[in-house]
Amino acid sequence: MQFQAPRGTHDVLPSESHRWQYLERTFAGLVELYGYREIRTPAFEDTELFVRSSGETSDIVSKQMYTFIDKGGRSVTLKPEGTAPSIRSYLEHHLGDANQINRLWYQTQIFRYERPQKGRYREAHQLGIELIGSPSPLADAEVIELTVRFYQTIGFEKPTVLLNSLGREQTRAQFRTAILKHAASWLKDQSEEDRARAERNPLRLLDSKSPEIQAMMQGSAQISDFLEDDSRDHFRALQNHLDGAGISYRVAPEIVRGLDYYTDTVFEVQSESLGAQSALCGGGRYDNLIEQLGGPPTASVGVALGIERALIALEADDEQNQTPLLEAYVVAAFEGARCDALQLARELRSDGISAQCDLDRLSLRAQVKQADKLQARFALIIGESELASRTVTVKRLADGHQISSSREDLPATLKALS
Ligand code: HAM
């Protein structure tokens, strides 16, 4: 029997992992510049944590969780997202006691039992940040700015943020009533299940992908009609901060997000190349969540970015694809050069240049072939004359260009030829 990766999961193969590492490194480097510190949480948590945070009517809790009873009879769930576990840990370890504001970042697998398609998997990977402890619109602006800077750094020219405010509980209650009133005659003709789903969470009618529902929702009330003064002021101040930071955004009333914990600001960055799963990332403010999980009222905001989706969207013109995996393959042209080839590879690595050499006593021709196969940028050849003069023949494999370099100048020579 030949095993396969379970449906909706995928392996990251050696030929792809450098693209993942590039995103992960870039994200970690960027968020640390803003003072975020990494948090790592377990792969599974008490099921109740997600039920309480994401909301019982959310798609995640109602149909997507990987939940099981462990051998001790506890209900546990593979984490479907990173916010609730981060907050659980923040509360458990009293991180809020030492600092008024905590800036956390994470890199995590998430598990959601979804129908797999391009950009949607049962095991996916997120990069995320949570800025815990500030009610200021500057906090929302920081999270959004950081998100946009990340996408710009990895090669998206002009990521546009889709921005909305969901207001507070009262706003949402009024808005829900208004939506249900607008949709009432359409809902009458729907199946009992669809009707029940819409009634449980009418906001989701707004971000439905169905053309029929989109047409039906035309002319419905907008949440902005119901925003309270504080929410309106917050939203306006956020937009001013984004203008000040030169971030391009569009106010998008259809962005309602799929998790129940949001208050006021919500946002996404989308990419057309993703097709139906157009959200590259999603985030927003969640001022009630910490209290709901047993902590003191603590205003917070965060975002999570899908790694797979960023990679798909970047695929078309991905510079990292062109980056060789190996800088130098050191070729011993005759038996007497083998020790020296090993030594040269060691020296290059200590100069920060990736290098390999033959382990299997391959012939000269086979070694050069191997360098090609490994997609090395250079073959560095040590023959008898090179050994005697402490030089190396540098062959750039992309075009066959060849020069001689002294051992001392080699790092500079390779840099110049790259
Ligand atoms: P989310 O919108 O559920 O938000 O997920 C954020 C991002 O994770 C999505 O925009 C997408 O890029 C990626 N993602 C989610 N599910 C999948 C999947 N099945 N397959 C591939 N990619 C996926 C959250 O998870 C919130 N915790 C974000 C947040 C942080 N809000 C505040 N702080």
Side-chain angles (χ1 to χ4, degrees):
M1 177 181 174
Q2 175 102 46
F3 289 109
Q4 290 185 339
R7 186 165 145 76
T9 71
H10 51 86
D11 301 310
V12 178
L13 297 175
S15 57
E16 311 160 309
S17 52
H18 65 292
R19 302 178 72 224
W20 286 68
Q21 288 164 359
Y22 170 70
L23 294 197
E24 291 158 2
R25 255 199 326 266
T26 305
F27 188 77
L30 184 67
V31 297
E32 299 225 340
L33 288 177
Y34 286 71
Y36 289 77
R37 294 287 171 261
E38 188 183 8
I39 187 161
R40 300 186 188 198
T41 60
F44 59 89
E45 299 271 355
D46 275 339
T47 299
E48 189 57 22
L49 174 70
F50 300 114
V51 175
R52 270 219 233 158
S53 52
S54 302
E56 259 168 290
T57 61
S58 65
D59 282 351
I60 289 184
V61 172
S62 61
K63 46 188 187 196
Q64 295 172 349
M65 293 205 302
Y66 277 89
T67 298
F68 59 98
I69 305 294
D70 73 7
K71 291 191 167 41
R74 299 171 205 91
S75 176
V76 293
T77 295
L78 298 183
K79 60 178 153 180
E81 58 113 38
T83 305
S86 302
I87 298 302
R88 193 266 310 135
S89 176
Y90 162 90
L91 287 172
E92 182 176 341
H93 301 287
H94 308 286
L95 302 185
D97 296 355
N99 291 312
Q100 197 196 340
I101 293 186
N102 274 264
R103 287 180 170 82
L104 308 178
W105 74 269
Y106 51 83
Q107 173 182 322
T108 186
Q109 281 144 300
I110 57 164
F111 304 90
R112 299 184 187 181
Y113 191 79
E114 306 211 58
R115 198 164 41 77
Q117 63 180 78
K118 179 177 164 194
R120 186 166 74 188
Y121 310 102
R122 292 183 173 170
E123 181 191 43
H125 298 77
Q126 288 183 339
L127 299 164
I129 55 174
E130 309 297 346
L131 199 173
I132 304 171
S134 172
S136 166
L138 274 171
D140 311 39
E142 175 177 309
V143 169
I144 293 173
E145 177 183 318
L146 209 158
T147 304
V148 167
R149 297 277 174 259
F150 172 73
Y151 286 126
Q152 284 170 333
T153 310
I154 62 172
F156 290 93
E157 252 173 45
K158 221 167 181 281
T160 298
V161 178
L162 303 181
L163 194 63
N164 195 15
S165 174
L166 298 181
R168 301 270 150 172
E169 206 26 63
Q170 188 187 330
T171 300
R172 278 214 290 279
Q174 290 172 348
F175 187 46
R176 276 191 205 108
T177 311
I179 295 177
L180 286 177
K181 201 165 152 206
H182 176 88
S185 61
W186 178 83
L187 280 171
K188 266 205 299 262
D189 300 331
Q190 304 311 305
S191 71
E192 204 166 307
E193 194 191 332
D194 286 351
R195 200 163 48 238
R197 188 174 323 121
E199 281 165 3
R200 269 201 310 272
N201 196 350
L203 261 57
R204 297 316 302 265
L205 291 172
L206 289 166
D207 70 350
S208 168
K209 298 272 176 336
S210 142
E212 184 195 339
I213 297 181
Q214 285 175 359
M216 182 277 292
M217 289 303 288
Q218 289 285 326
S220 152
Q222 305 245 318
I223 200 155
S224 54
D225 303 336
F226 303 96
L227 287 184
E228 293 169 62
D229 289 347
D230 284 354
S231 295
R232 209 179 289 282
D233 291 348
H234 187 97
F235 198 36
R236 201 170 297 127
L238 169 59
Q239 291 175 55
N240 288 338
H241 294 318
L242 294 178
D243 291 336
I247 306 279
S248 89
Y249 64 90
R250 175 168 73 74
V251 174
E254 73 277 12
I255 299 294
V256 293
R257 312 280 298 123
L259 295 145
D260 282 3
Y261 50 61
Y262 292 110
T263 48
D264 288 329
T265 312
V266 286
F267 69 94
E268 289 183 2
V269 175
Q270 299 190 349
S271 162
E272 278 169 19
S273 50
L274 288 172
Q277 301 306 312
S278 56
L280 280 171
C281 69
R285 180 163 276 288
Y286 50 92
D287 288 351
N288 299 332
L289 178 62
I290 295 186
E291 204 178 354
Q292 272 162 20
L293 295 180
T298 312
S300 302
V301 50
V303 63
L305 302 79
I307 298 186
E308 287 87 348
R309 292 196 192 169
L311 289 173
I312 293 172
L314 280 174
E315 220 142 62
D317 58 347
D318 181 9
E319 264 184 39
Q320 286 76 55
N321 264 344
Q322 321 304 325
T323 308
L325 299 176
L326 183 68
E327 283 297 314
Y329 190 90
V330 187
V331 174
F334 73 112
E335 270 312 300
R338 288 199 184 271
C339 264
D340 222 51
L342 265 173
Q343 181 55 27
L344 178 57
R346 270 186 217 114
E347 287 168 17
L348 288 168
R349 291 179 202 127
S350 55
D351 282 322
I353 298 167
S354 58
Q356 276 187 30
C357 56
D358 167 41
L359 303 176
D360 299 317
R361 300 193 165 266
L362 296 176
S363 68
L364 167 63
R365 254 189 67 186
Q367 287 179 62
V368 176
K369 237 183 170 170
Q370 185 68 5
D372 253 334
K373 243 191 183 160
L374 290 169
Q375 297 178 1
R377 199 193 293 271
F378 302 107
L380 307 180
I381 302 159
I382 307 179
E384 284 188 48
S385 62
E386 284 91 349
L387 193 60
S389 58
R390 282 197 54 78
T391 58
V392 179
T393 297
V394 178
K395 180 174 180 183
R396 187 165 59 197
L397 291 171
D399 58 3
H401 177 67
Q402 205 162 301
I403 60 166
S404 171
S405 168
S406 72
R407 289 277 282 263
E408 291 68 37
D409 293 343
L410 196 52
T413 309
L414 297 187
K415 201 163 172 211
L417 285 176
S418 290

